[in-house]
Amino acid sequence: MMRSSALNRKQRLSHRLALYVLLSISLILVSAFGYNYYYSKKLVLKNVRETATKLTQSLVYRFETKLQSVEQVPNFIALRLERESPPKSAIKSMISDLITHNPDIFGSTVAFEPYAMEPERLYFAPYFFRNETGQPSYSELGEEAYHYFHWPWYSVPKQLDRAVWSEPYFDEGGGDILMCTYSVPFYRQTENGRKFWGVVTADISLKGLVRNISELSLYQSGYAFLISRSGQFVAHPDENRIMRESIFSVAEEKNMPELQRIGEEMVRGGEGFADIRSVHTGVESLLYYAPVPTTGWSVGVMIPREELYADIVFLNHSVLLIGGIGLSILFLVVIGISRSITRPLLALVGTTMEIAKGNLDASLPPIRVNDEVGQLSRSVDEMRLALKEYISDLTETTRAKERIESELKIARNIQMSFLPKRFPPFPDRREFGIYAVLEPAKQVGGDLYDFFLLDDEHLFFSVGDVSDKGVPAALYMAVTKTLMKGIAELGLEPSEILTKVNTELCHGNDSSMFVTLFCGILNLCSGELRYTNAGHIPPLLQRIGQAPQRLTLPYGLFLGGMEEAVFKTETITLQPGDKLLVYTDGVTEAMNPAQELYSENRLREEIKIRTSAGLEELVTGILQTVRLFSNGIPQSDDIALMALLYSGMADQNARISKIPQTHIG
């Protein structure tokens, strides 16, 4: 039964090995296939873009060349009409010659201003155009049914004072075909200065252009189209859209904002590529568009994406089929090889199962061949012995760790018992209020605070920060606090207290630890605060009705650094309602995940928000904002916060209550 179980495990291992090998190979093949497919598509797209660009530019170039050649003759005639005044017969002869010698020009006219040619004649616009046989034919444009003064080919160059190409139009009364007109204004010098005199035009038929563009074939269903400056279709494979719809009307009809955006870019003279669904064929396509600078029109070439990648898709299907057959054959080969490799491992199965159950005294089969299996057996035996030793060491380490953690908890309780922790500490005193909190970064820390009454009229308080954290800082904090309390009760000035404490801390300070500290003595009757500083950050003073400001501190070196350090005492007078917040740098230097500091400015804002709050609410509220700001970042430094409110004597409060109060918000 046990032999059968081992055999089943061997079979699963061999199949798993074969599966891992095949998965790895498949992953490599799929990665190579994917890269090849991606790069092939990219290469095809690049070539198609180049082809589309060249094809479109070729269309634009041929169109531009034709238009520029058409522009030369009207420009010359307009210049001649400005320099001389030929008779009607000469003008007609010029127009007839223009048509005869310029096969690209369908028709032309010289249209004069009302009464400009003859004082008694309103119209004069002789028009020559090619008839069905290609010979010049003549007609007069000026008549009641055809007021050429109002047609764009006449009015636009007059208004713009320059030569222009008109929008495509169907010329009724002229050539009766779809055409585009190049109009050149000409002028005469009169007594009143230079004056508009008329327009010289050259019409080109768009029939051939429309046919060439509409019949252009790209792949199986690709096509080209041409739009005018207003977005109207001039050439399109769907003849029903020509001169009847615009790219914008189609975009609105089909609810295609992307087509609207492309149309706006085209009429602005833009050039580029865009991915869009073809309205004509209904398939996703690649669109390349480019402007015709002379007329302001735009040519677009639409190429279906499916047809771009058809050959690549067929090739990839073939590669996938061949790869699948190859992987199937490889799977059978790997299964056979893996079985031959895993067979020697059966001897280790029983022993390793015993070891896994916790029997570390089980013996392994003898090693007959020093191959990989033999090395594995030797390694398993060494692991068994090392595991026995490790478990023994771990048991002792766990006991020692539990003992240390228990001692640290006791040390924390002892440290916290040093600090005043009953609030309010003096319930019968109304002259002041005080609240403080300490949060070590580790189980024990080096920040400290203390306060006590020196007598009925004087309150001593202090906040400090030891240079290290953990047990050494906690011991140094306990020594500092004890020295401060013992020396302060001698009735000395704050600066004298720090001088004596500094001297004691400097003696035998082999660890070079130090402590920054702020302390003060508050006269509860007068509100006079005498204070000194030993390298501590300035407390924030919020006078009633004002924003929090830094308390001006005298210079003082930290305690425990130099015996010669000198400390000074400063004095200010607190008014009833004034608050003093003394804190350590664990507050302002708290850091969030973005490596930003909590900062003193943020602390000031939090104090302003809590102007009317009680001391406990103020301190706990600030501490809560520090935790929220850190957003899960572990506390890197100890935090100590002390808030002191001076309320004053009863008669002082009565006077203050008569003064209008303002709040900082």
Side-chain angles (χ1 to χ4, degrees), residues 300-311:
V301 174
M302 195 81 73
I303 305 173
R305 280 193 171 272
E306 288 184 357
E307 297 175 12
L308 290 180
Y309 305 134
D311 293 339

Side-chain angles (χ1 to χ4, degrees), residues 447-507:
D447 282 7
L448 65 116
Y449 70 82
D450 198 7
F451 56 85
F452 49 85
L453 289 172
L454 297 174
D455 52 45
D456 287 342
E457 296 183 357
H458 293 88
L459 172 71
F460 177 87
F461 62 94
S462 62
V463 174
D465 185 0
V466 180
S467 60
D468 201 354
K469 294 183 286 294
V471 175
L475 294 174
Y476 205 78
M477 165 264 196
V479 172
T480 303
K481 180 184 178 301
T482 303
L483 288 173
M484 288 290 296
K485 185 173 179 63
I487 295 173
E489 290 177 345
L490 299 177
L492 303 176
E493 285 290 324
S495 58
E496 297 173 334
I497 295 172
L498 291 193
T499 300
K500 290 183 175 295
V501 172
N502 179 62
T503 301
E504 293 296 329
L505 291 177
C506 287
H507 290 165

Side-chain angles (χ1 to χ4, degrees), residues 406-417:
S406 176
E407 292 174 355
L408 283 175
K409 289 179 182 178
I410 296 172
R412 178 183 177 89
N413 293 334
I414 294 174
Q415 180 190 23
M416 299 307 293
S417 69

Side-chain angles (χ1 to χ4, degrees), residues 44-54 273 286 305:
V44 168
L45 184 61
K46 177 183 176 183
N47 293 335
V48 169
R49 286 193 172 198
E50 291 178 354
T51 302
T53 302
K54 292 177 181 178
F273 286 91
L286 176 68
R305 280 193 171 272

